[in-house]
Amino acid sequence: MSTTTPHTHEPEEHPESLPGGAGTAVRPPRLIHNEATTEIPVHLLFRDEGAPEARRPAVVNRRQGTGEHPRLGRPAPVRRRPELHPDPELQERPARVLPGAAGVLAGLGGVAGCLATTWWAGALPPYAGDALGLPLHPGAGLGAAQWAAYAGTGALGLFGFGGLARGRTGRAWVLGLFGRYRGTVRRTGLLWINPLLRRCRADVRLRHWRSGAVPAADANGVALRVVVLVVWRVRDTARALLGIEEHETYLRECVESALARVPVELPGGVRSGADAAGDALTRLVAADVAPVGVEVFSVQPVRVEYAPEVAAAMQRRRIAALDAQQRATMLSSVVDSVEDTVTRLTTRGLVELDDYERKALVRDLTVAFCSARREPA
């Protein structure tokens, strides 16, 4: 018999004689032994498949606390929500604009050019020439040159005055030309913008939106109606106005979607639970609306109540509980009154009652007291 050690040792071959008399070399079984397991023959860890040399390790369950590494299984696939990938070219960038003084000067230059062309053609009235300090000029009439001068100066005046715009704090202009995004104007004051560009006004101020009663549920799946207050603003005007049809409608739908995934606690619950629900709602809604250029700062429930059908059932249950409590209180009071009456009658010697008479008196007094308690005051 081989000697066991705390670790697996190399096998030794010893010739032994079989009962039949034929001496052949028999390999003794190899053993595994440590402080956490008993002696286990090594050959039990292998399965013979066909040839003796083709052996594969068998599946052995790992024991906790033995220091052995657990067998790693195949990780379960992680399902991820589809992410929005906005157009990388559709990103807010500043547009090229000029100060408003440039537009005013161009407009005044166009008006002055039209007056000069009129004086040149001799069509300027005498009182207008006197008011402007221009000498009388017989004029050459309205010819091709005069009409060309009118067209040039008129276009200059129209471009100068037509491109004037007023930039306001908290507002922005989103500019486009033939369906292509040309930039965003966030500057304030009097500006000159190319009048050929299409302008879309965007509100970039910090805004808040109070929702209506949105369906939700608590941790136990009970239907609720939640009113939330959302604090948000437009961060990227290009994506908010051009990347999506209605960014405000999309924000409302994202709030409803988040309420369907996050359990909301009632106001009477733990305050930390309500804060956790608000933080979870803020995180989900902010992640959903970020690709469309909207920034969400807070989504907090301001009113939480049961759904109408749940509220009606809970009201009936509450009324039944109050009625049962009132009945139990009334019955206890009646029993105490009957007991006190019978005890006082018998202890004072006013009446002598046997068991039958005592039961009848108790029954009559109970009916009388209950009838008196049920009568309206």
Side-chain angles (χ1 to χ4, degrees):
M1 182 176 182
S2 60
T3 305
T4 60
T5 60
H7 302 283
T8 305
H9 61 82
E10 298 295 334
E12 299 180 359
E13 297 183 358
H14 298 281
E16 296 181 0
S17 299
L18 298 176
T24 58
V26 179
R27 179 178 298 177
R30 293 176 294 179
L31 302 177
I32 294 178
H33 179 270
N34 55 28
E35 65 278 1
T37 61
T38 58
E39 296 182 356
I40 303 175
V42 177
H43 70 275
L44 294 180
L45 302 179
F46 298 88
R47 296 194 300 266
D48 295 336
E49 297 181 1
E53 63 275 4
R55 296 176 178 177
R56 299 180 180 178
V59 178
V60 180
N61 295 330
R62 307 289 184 176
R63 296 182 56 189
Q64 296 182 356
T66 60
E68 299 178 356
H69 297 287
R71 185 175 62 181
L72 299 178
R74 180 178 299 177
V78 180
R79 296 183 178 179
R80 297 182 179 179
R81 297 177 57 229
E83 298 181 357
L84 298 177
H85 299 281
D87 187 359
E89 297 182 358
L90 191 61
Q91 188 173 2
E92 181 178 330
R93 60 180 181 271
R96 298 178 181 179
V97 295
L98 296 177
V104 173
L105 292 177
L108 293 177
V111 173
C114 290
L115 292 176
T117 304
T118 304
W119 176 79
W120 177 30
L124 188 66
Y127 63 89
D130 296 338
L132 296 174
L134 298 175
L136 293 176
H137 182 69
L142 293 175
Q146 286 76 14
W147 287 114
Y150 272 126
T153 55
L156 180 62
L158 290 176
F159 263 77
F161 288 124
L164 292 177
R166 183 182 62 174
R168 299 172 57 183
T169 303
R171 301 294 180 90
W173 293 100
V174 178
L175 307 181
L177 180 62
F178 304 119
R180 183 179 180 183
Y181 174 63
R182 304 299 297 177
T184 300
V185 180
R186 287 179 177 261
R187 297 171 57 180
T188 58
L190 187 61
L191 306 172
W192 185 84
I193 303 174
N194 187 350
L196 297 179
L197 298 177
R198 181 176 178 269
R199 308 175 191 179
C200 294
R201 185 178 291 275
D203 191 344
V204 295
R205 295 174 296 179
L206 190 65
R207 305 167 63 183
H208 69 278
W209 168 63
R210 183 185 178 97
S211 70
V214 183
D218 61 2
N220 298 323
V222 179
L224 302 175
R225 291 292 185 270
V226 182
V227 177
V228 297
L229 180 65
V230 185
V231 180
W232 63 285
R233 72 175 179 183
V234 174
R235 178 177 52 85
D236 192 312
T237 56
R239 293 181 178 177
L241 271 69
L242 305 178
I244 192 170
E245 184 176 1
E246 289 289 342
H247 61 276
E248 296 183 6
T249 304
Y250 181 71
L251 174 62
R252 296 187 181 96
E253 293 177 353
C254 288
V255 170
E256 295 180 2
S257 175
L259 284 173
R261 290 177 286 170
V262 177
V264 181
E265 298 293 337
L266 288 173
V270 183
R271 182 61 183 172
S272 60
D275 295 340
D279 295 341
L281 289 173
T282 303
R283 185 173 60 256
L284 289 176
V285 177
D288 289 341
V289 301
V292 298
V294 176
E295 186 176 9
V296 173
F297 296 94
S298 174
V299 181
Q300 295 296 332
V302 295
R303 190 179 68 190
V304 182
E305 58 186 13
Y306 287 107
E309 61 276 7
V310 179
M314 294 191 67
Q315 183 69 14
R316 291 193 298 269
R317 181 179 179 182
R318 189 179 297 109
I319 293 175
L322 292 176
D323 185 63
Q325 183 180 2
Q326 183 180 5
R327 289 175 180 273
T329 303
M330 184 184 67
L331 182 60
S332 300
S333 177
V334 168
V335 171
D336 294 340
S337 299
V338 171
E339 181 182 6
D340 182 66
T341 302
V342 174
T343 302
R344 294 176 65 180
L345 289 175
T346 54
T347 54
R348 293 184 180 183
L350 299 178
V351 293
E352 295 182 0
L353 303 174
D354 55 9
D355 292 340
Y356 178 78
E357 294 175 345
R358 182 185 297 272
K359 292 179 181 179
L361 179 60
V362 168
R363 182 179 66 252
D364 296 339
L365 290 175
T366 301
V367 172
F369 286 155
C370 289
S371 300
R373 293 296 178 88
R374 290 180 179 176
E375 292 180 357

